[in-house]
């Protein structure tokens, strides 16, 4: 027995049918994207602070409260880093790990990112857990859609990512 009374075809081959009342939208319509950067390693005043700086090595667990490396306020101010708000979906966008998987995690505290990461910041009413689970559950298909072919290091092509279509339940339906 299906949990919803009626379904519709999503129009996305790998997604199949979804509950009739769900929207099928491009990812860019329900999240904002934020990239990262790295403060220069030549300046010790930029490192060893209290601001978590997420790199692919930190995305080995589903929730991020702390990171191996931290930057200072000076490091934040002098680099392309920005603070990512809590409850964003963090994903690796450049790393050899993309040969096998798309690592994702949700940050429970404000963090910064290195340049091999992207934050997907849900708009009001979109739940980060739902988005993270959808990426995790469809990794094989999303890898085929997002990962650049022929690159020396595996990387996700940003335009492919933002234009990919996802199923989205009505705002407030997912807790």
């Amino acid at each position: 027995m299906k949990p919803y009374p009626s379904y519709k075809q999503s129009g996305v081959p790998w997604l199949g049918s979804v509950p009739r009342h769900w929207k099928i939208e491009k990812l860019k319509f329900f999240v904002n994207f934020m990239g990262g950067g790295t403060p220069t390693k030549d300046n010790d005043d930029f490192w060893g602070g209290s601001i978590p700086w997420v790199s692919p090595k930190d995305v080995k667990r589903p929730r991020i409260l702390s990171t191996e490396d931290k930057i200072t306020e000076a490091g934040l101010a002098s680099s392309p880093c920005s603070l990512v708000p809590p409850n964003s979906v963090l994903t690796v966008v450049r790393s050899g790990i993309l040969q096998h998987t798309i690592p994702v995690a949700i940050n429970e505290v404000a963090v910064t990112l290195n340049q091999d990461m992207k934050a997907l910041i849900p708009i009001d009413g979109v739940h980060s857990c739902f988005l993270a689970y959808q990426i995790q559950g469809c990794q094989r298909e999303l890898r085929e859609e997002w990962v650049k072919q022929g690159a020396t290091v595996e990387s996700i092509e940003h335009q492919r990512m933002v234009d990919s279509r996802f199923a989205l339940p009505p705002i407030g339906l997912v807790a």
Side-chain angles (χ1 to χ4, degrees), residues 38-40 43 45-47 51 71-81:
T38 301
T40 181
N43 189 333
D45 293 337
F46 295 167
W47 294 92
I51 303 169
I71 63 172
T72 63
E73 290 288 338
L76 177 63
S78 69
S79 73
C81 293

Side-chain angles (χ1 to χ4, degrees), residues 7-12 16-18 24:
Y7 287 76
K8 65 181 177 185
Q9 281 300 314
S10 67
V12 180
S17 61
V18 298
I24 305 299

Side-chain angles (χ1 to χ4, degrees), residues 76-93:
L76 177 63
S78 69
S79 73
C81 293
S82 297
L83 282 176
V84 175
N87 295 312
S88 298
V89 177
L90 311 180
T91 185
V92 175
V93 294

Side-chain angles (χ1 to χ4, degrees), residues 1-174:
M1 182 171 139
K2 293 185 177 182
Y4 295 101
S6 63
Y7 287 76
K8 65 181 177 185
Q9 281 300 314
S10 67
V12 180
W14 54 265
L15 192 53
S17 61
V18 298
R20 185 163 301 285
H21 61 289
W22 288 22
K23 288 184 178 182
I24 305 299
E25 293 284 351
K26 290 184 177 182
L27 187 57
K28 65 184 173 187
F29 295 128
F30 57 94
V31 300
N32 292 312
F33 294 88
M34 183 182 287
T38 301
T40 181
K41 299 265 185 171
D42 295 335
N43 189 333
D44 290 339
D45 293 337
F46 295 167
W47 294 92
S50 61
I51 303 169
W53 182 73
V54 181
S55 67
K57 66 185 172 199
D58 296 303
V59 190
K60 295 177 182 165
R61 55 195 178 279
R63 300 284 180 167
I64 293 181
L65 287 162
S66 186
T67 56
E68 285 188 37
D69 299 307
K70 293 179 177 52
I71 63 172
T72 63
E73 290 288 338
L76 177 63
S78 69
S79 73
C81 293
S82 297
L83 282 176
V84 175
N87 295 312
S88 298
V89 177
L90 311 180
T91 185
V92 175
V93 294
R94 188 175 63 199
S95 172
I97 193 73
L98 293 170
Q99 289 179 16
H100 311 288
T101 187
I102 301 172
V104 295
I106 296 172
N107 58 312
E108 294 190 0
V109 297
V111 299
T112 59
L113 306 173
N114 91 348
Q115 62 276 6
D116 296 334
M117 303 288 303
K118 285 268 190 239
L120 285 64
I121 305 165
I123 62 167
D124 291 339
V126 174
H127 295 272
S128 55
C129 288
F130 182 82
L131 179 57
Y133 293 150
Q134 195 167 165
I135 293 171
Q136 290 170 333
C138 300
Q139 284 202 25
R140 186 185 72 224
E141 296 84 356
L142 289 172
R143 264 186 61 332
E144 289 176 15
E145 189 172 323
W146 291 355
V147 174
K148 289 181 187 177
Q149 300 303 314
T152 2
V153 175
E154 281 69 20
S155 57
I156 289 175
E157 189 172 317
H158 182 71
Q159 198 59 47
R160 288 181 183 182
M161 176 189 251
V162 302
D163 286 338
S164 60
R165 294 183 299 161
F166 277 69
L168 184 66
I171 301 299
L173 182 64
V174 177

